[in-house]
Amino acid sequence: MGNLIEFTLFAPRNQGAVLIGSFSDWQEIPMQKGEDGYFRTQIQLKDGVYQYKFRVQTKSPNFAPNEWIDVIDPKATDVNETEKHAIVRIKDGQRIVDTYVWQYDEMLLPDNRELVIYEMHVADFTGDEVDPDKRGKYLGVIAKLDYLCELGINAIELMPVNEYPGNYSWGYKVRHYFATESSYGSTEDLKRLIDECHARGIRVFMDAIYNHTDEECPLLLIDRNYWYYEHKHYPEDPDNYWGPEFNYDNYDEKLNVKPAWKYIGDVVQFWIQEYHIDGIRFDAVRQLANFEFFNWLTKQAKKHAASKHFYNIAEHIPDTSTVVKPDGPLDGCWHESFRYFVVPYICGKSFELEQLKEILDPRKQGYATATNTINYLATHDRQRLLRELGDAGIFDAEAFKRAKLAAALLMTAMGIPMLWMGEEFGEYQPKSESVTQPQKITWSLLTSDQNHNLFKYYQKLIALRQQNLALQSDNIEFFHEDTNNKVLAYSRWDKQDSHIVVVVNFSAVNLTKYEIPNFPTAEYWQDWFGNCEVETQEDTLVTDLPGYTAKIFVWQ
């Protein structure tokens, strides 16, 4: 006969709901509504896989009053968007997501200060795979994990992997919050990817969209104005409206619940406990604009993550220190101003020393610690650096030289560095104009000497960052400023006596026998890229500084 399996639907303002599914030959099964706002029914099911959905009397204004419509379960962990139904798996008389057994939960993972993050889109990152079982899929990412280890990456940030309409999208208009994108592979494949990352000491962050949803999200179909703002949250800012926006202000006095809070809280708990993620990048924090909610949500996330490291990251454009501790609810913020100001300096379009110091030392912008800022040169939303350089008329060897300078700044500034996939070897495709148009990484570029050399340069910088605690510290000091020659020198250090000095020439002029006074005292310094020892005389270092070049000196 099977075991009794309960199906529930939270729809407190709806008058009626029934369950239909493959187990009833799609005939209606009545559901009873409780005083807690839930419709419930129990049916006997043997172990197996079944399809189902709900039929409800909608409260959404785009339907006739109390019209009966079919909707997918808002908490479905697997869906078939083509057939418009949810999928439930029963094993040993219980609902399950899958049968994956975690192998590497006890692995020691890097803490937030140690991170070098790699942002990727699953389909585009793996678009070169010959094997169709790996091309555009989680299994293809697994096949490239050793490459990321070779580069030195210890955290990946997955662009949204929630189920979305169609077979390709950036995923920023979510329809199903508990289900994973089926075109990337199964739920077990995603778990295997995260597990294999953990086996290699790589943390996995999820890109989460809690500001808005797709227009056909089940919650919207069931009762739009219970879950969402009736009108645009910010009608004066139409360019930053991406779909129906969750109403985190709505409080149901009868049930003593904030429905949007509870739903998204359940989403976060599910992803931490079911998929063992190590952090969340919260999309559109500025537009969501509810620090009270984020204070609660991020505390919930860390509680569910228990003893493991967890990183709550804000995408707030423009960036602001108000979203991070001790003044705000999150741990880190995408440091958009780093990219915004560094790129013009690298392209030779501007040079403002005080501005430069602010982005290299974000404490000057109000940030308290290194983990409060995530620095980057490009993201999925921004043009790649080589494209920016090309638009400025800078190509070939000169472009790669300046890309190396930018990489040196990225890895030696105070903050956590993040790479957009392919940036490490000079991917130069323009930013995609469509979120539904694939743009696969040009992996063949790695066979070019210039691109491979850039990869090796990044690899060496990342190794230095991870080996030398000075670059993970909150300490940075600018000890030499030469506006005329566009030279800046700064030191990084930590309490373990690790010490690094970075000297940067932001001009096209090659400076020979350039003198840097007040150089930090040490018996010997090693030129990190020149791989040779250098000495200071009377606290002055004399060195050649080619145009648009950074030199890094490590205390021996």
Side-chain angles (χ1 to χ4, degrees), residues 14-33:
N14 299 69
Q15 291 185 14
V18 298
L19 172 69
I20 58 176
S22 58
F23 36 71
S24 66
D25 200 24
W26 299 99
Q27 299 302 303
E28 294 182 356
I29 298 173
M31 300 182 76
Q32 300 300 314
K33 187 177 183 181

Side-chain angles (χ1 to χ4, degrees), residues 113-166:
R113 282 187 179 271
E114 300 174 68
L115 297 177
V116 178
I117 305 171
Y118 194 89
E119 188 195 16
M120 72 165 68
H121 184 278
V122 170
D124 288 344
F125 181 72
T126 59
D128 68 322
E129 298 290 343
V130 175
D131 185 346
D133 291 334
K134 295 180 179 178
R135 187 169 58 249
K137 299 184 182 297
Y138 300 124
L139 296 180
V141 180
I142 294 174
K144 291 187 182 328
L145 287 182
D146 289 343
Y147 163 84
L148 294 178
C149 287
E150 182 187 358
L151 177 59
I153 297 301
N154 58 12
I156 62 173
E157 185 174 297
L158 296 172
M159 286 175 66
V161 295
N162 297 100
E163 180 72 43
Y164 51 68

Side-chain angles (χ1 to χ4, degrees), residues 9-11 14 53-54 56 58-60 62-63 69-76 79 81 84-86 163 165 173-179 213-225 227-228 246 263:
L9 174 67
F10 183 65
N14 299 69
K53 53 188 169 182
F54 297 117
V56 302
T58 177
K59 295 289 290 184
S60 289
N62 47 326
F63 296 97
I69 64 168
D70 290 356
V71 297
I72 295 174
D73 185 352
K75 289 194 170 183
V79 301
E81 258 295 330
K84 299 294 181 185
H85 59 238
E163 180 72 43
K173 293 185 75 171
V174 180
R175 185 174 291 183
H176 304 288
Y177 278 88
F178 291 80
T213 73
D214 175 76
E215 287 79 357
E216 294 186 41
C217 178
L219 296 175
L220 186 142
L221 301 177
I222 293 167
D223 189 351
R224 188 198 192 286
N225 293 340
W227 299 96
Y228 301 85
F246 278 119
Y263 182 78

Side-chain angles (χ1 to χ4, degrees), residues 120-124 136 159-175 181 183-184 209 214 380 432 434-439:
M120 72 165 68
H121 184 278
V122 170
D124 288 344
M159 286 175 66
V161 295
N162 297 100
E163 180 72 43
Y164 51 68
N167 285 328
Y168 182 92
S169 171
W170 282 7
Y172 286 101
K173 293 185 75 171
V174 180
R175 185 174 291 183
E181 173 50 33
S183 69
Y184 296 162
I209 297 81
D214 175 76
H380 66 274
S432 177
S434 170
V435 299
T436 59
Q437 185 64 41
Q439 192 174 57

